[in-house]
Amino acid sequence: MLLSHILVGVLRTMLLVDRPILLQGHERSLTQIKFNSEGDLLFSCSKDHIINVWFSHNGERLGTYDGHNGTVWTIDADSQSRFLVSGSADNELRLWNVSDGKCLYVWEFPTAVKRVAFSDDDERVVCITEQRMGHQCVIRVFKLNRDGDGTTQPEHMFSPIGSKATVCAFTYTPNLIITGHESGKIALFDVVTGTEVLNNERAHMDVVTDLQLSADRSYFVTSSKDKTARIHDTKTLRVLKTFATETPLNSAALAPNKPYVLVGGGQEAMQVTTTSLRQGKFETRFWHKVFEEEVGRVKGHFGPINTIAVHPTGTSYASGGEDGFIRVHHFDESYFRVKPYGDLQLED
């Protein structure tokens, strides 16, 4: 498409970001970062057992959530920024009060908690526990007591048959969750019955490393060790777009109000000790989600990018790396002036 190549050339020259804010609050590799729904707070977790919360506009650290005794793999905050949930290698799921950092409740499991996510109504939390030491991978759904301290017991639990789940999220349909699996499969599960409603066995060819939903949850993006990121339809699980790279991907995110997908990853650290920064592919890469063309790259990390999050209003994004640093980039004016569809104007 001639038009797409012309636009990509324009975008490559105009996709600019301001000098990043460097957040130095972790001593080991980042595992996940998340903005709250307003975008004023940024939560981060790491292999150093610590969860931090920051002001996203200036990088000031507000405080920490201390209590885990292992790598904190995953975090999520509800839409009101009242509760935070976290999952760790210490086999615990913890519920926190965001405002004062108090741990409200601890659920203990036989294996590590690898992924947590709130439902869109904030009433429930889904978590995945690891398949290890003779224990199956288990998906549990908790209904929170929002009128009290939030504590509750599992409402539903089941074990996926076949490949273990690695990532999950609630869909816009009640009682339906999306899961990504070690085999590359994407599936929809009914949490009440534990049945697999639909699947796409060939969504990816390797481990699904990240899953992030669009604002209306009608589609979602995944990243994989198979070196691709893909956009899928939530209802049918059909692959809509594919973004192929030459490096394993650890995270993918959707830019609100702009047709861009952000992806990050890189070769494992032990494989790039003798290569240059550029050869390691330690860059956040921007792709046009319609034309499937790469439109820009942002360098900075000194190791693989493990996690990417975009501000809910699309004004900035953050990346967390194997190097232990979080880099917050605010887009400059040229990013908002560029016309990603040429003179064609699309209504939101």
Side-chain angles (χ1 to χ4, degrees), residues 13 38-39 84-85 88-89 103 107 159 230 255 272 281 311 328 331:
T13 63
E38 290 83 15
L84 178 77
V85 286
S88 170
C103 181
W107 294 271
S159 294
R230 287 178 169 156
V272 296
K281 316 296 183 187
H311 192 284
V328 180
F331 296 114

Side-chain angles (χ1 to χ4, degrees), residues 176-311:
L176 212 58
I177 62 168
I178 313 168
T179 57
H181 294 254
E182 191 175 50
S183 66
K185 177 178 78 171
I186 300 292
L188 288 174
F189 280 91
D190 184 317
V191 298
V192 177
T193 63
T195 57
E196 189 177 285
V197 177
L198 187 66
N199 71 59
N200 183 346
E201 294 279 357
R202 310 291 288 180
H204 284 285
M205 304 304 291
D206 206 337
V207 181
V208 179
T209 54
D210 196 11
L211 185 158
Q212 298 193 32
L213 290 152
S214 64
D216 63 0
R217 300 187 182 232
S218 64
Y219 64 96
F220 61 96
V221 64
T222 56
S223 61
S224 171
K225 293 294 185 183
D226 69 3
K227 305 180 181 180
T228 68
R230 287 178 169 156
I231 291 178
H232 314 257
D233 179 80
T234 302
K235 188 175 182 179
T236 65
L237 300 186
R238 185 166 62 93
V239 175
L240 304 176
K241 298 291 178 180
T242 298
F243 314 98
T245 72
E246 63 284 343
T247 187
L249 297 179
N250 297 324
S251 189
L254 298 162
N257 309 317
K258 290 288 183 181
Y260 304 134
V261 173
L262 287 69
V263 303
Q267 299 293 333
E268 296 298 330
M270 65 180 182
Q271 298 175 340
V272 296
T273 52
T274 59
T275 63
S276 70
L277 179 67
R278 179 67 182 84
Q279 289 173 312
K281 316 296 183 187
F282 306 141
E283 303 159 316
T284 301
R285 303 170 69 166
F286 288 71
W287 291 74
H288 197 293
K289 72 180 181 185
V290 177
F291 298 136
E292 298 173 291
E293 297 267 10
E294 187 177 350
V295 299
R297 300 186 183 191
V298 179
K299 301 178 182 179
H301 285 284
F302 293 94
I305 295 173
N306 293 336
T307 175
I308 296 175
V310 182
H311 192 284

Side-chain angles (χ1 to χ4, degrees), residues 41 57 66 77 87 94 131 164 175 211 213 222 257 267 271 276 278 288 311 314 320 322 327 330 337 345:
L41 301 178
H57 69 284
D66 297 318
R94 286 178 175 252
Q131 177 180 315
K164 72 178 183 181
N175 298 321
L211 185 158
L213 290 152
T222 56
N257 309 317
Q267 299 293 333
Q271 298 175 340
S276 70
R278 179 67 182 84
H288 197 293
H311 192 284
E322 191 74 18
R327 300 174 70 87
H330 293 272
R337 287 199 308 266
Q345 297 295 321

Side-chain angles (χ1 to χ4, degrees), residues 8-182:
V8 168
V10 173
L11 287 166
R12 280 205 178 103
T13 63
M14 299 191 69
L15 186 59
L16 302 175
V17 292
D18 288 337
R19 190 176 187 86
I21 301 171
L22 195 63
L23 310 186
Q24 304 179 59
H26 291 285
E27 297 178 354
R28 296 189 63 194
S29 308
L30 272 296
T31 51
Q32 192 173 20
I33 53 177
K34 297 274 288 193
F35 285 96
N36 67 340
S37 59
E38 290 83 15
D40 59 328
L41 301 178
L42 179 67
F43 299 93
S44 63
C45 60
S46 163
K47 291 181 179 180
D48 63 5
H49 311 177
I50 300 297
I51 304 168
N52 284 323
V53 58
W54 320 75
F55 276 130
S56 62
H57 69 284
N58 63 4
E60 178 186 347
R61 183 165 64 172
L62 280 77
T64 61
Y65 301 85
D66 297 318
H68 280 297
N69 294 307
T71 295
V72 184
W73 289 116
T74 177
I75 48 174
D76 198 18
D78 68 2
S79 64
Q80 301 175 27
S81 301
R82 178 183 172 190
F83 291 133
L84 178 77
V85 286
S86 61
S88 170
D90 61 9
N91 304 347
E92 292 180 350
L93 171 70
R94 286 178 175 252
L95 179 73
W96 309 85
N97 189 342
V98 169
S99 60
D100 61 11
K102 180 182 178 182
C103 181
L104 302 175
Y105 199 76
V106 180
W107 294 271
E108 296 183 357
F109 307 112
T111 58
V113 181
K114 298 294 287 191
R115 192 76 167 193
V116 296
F118 270 100
S119 60
D120 57 351
D121 62 3
D122 298 333
E123 295 291 333
R124 293 188 291 177
V125 170
V126 60
C127 79
I128 296 175
T129 52
E130 180 75 293
Q131 177 180 315
R132 189 164 291 172
M133 297 180 295
H135 295 279
Q136 292 294 313
C137 168
V138 179
I139 297 175
R140 295 175 174 86
V141 175
F142 298 85
K143 187 174 178 63
L144 296 184
N145 174 17
R146 296 193 62 82
D147 296 327
D149 60 4
T151 59
T152 185
Q153 294 302 312
E155 186 180 32
H156 307 290
M157 59 181 291
F158 60 93
S159 294
I161 298 173
S163 175
K164 72 178 183 181
T166 53
V167 291
C168 61
F170 282 96
T171 69
Y172 54 77
T173 304
N175 298 321
L176 212 58
I177 62 168
I178 313 168
T179 57
H181 294 254
E182 191 175 50

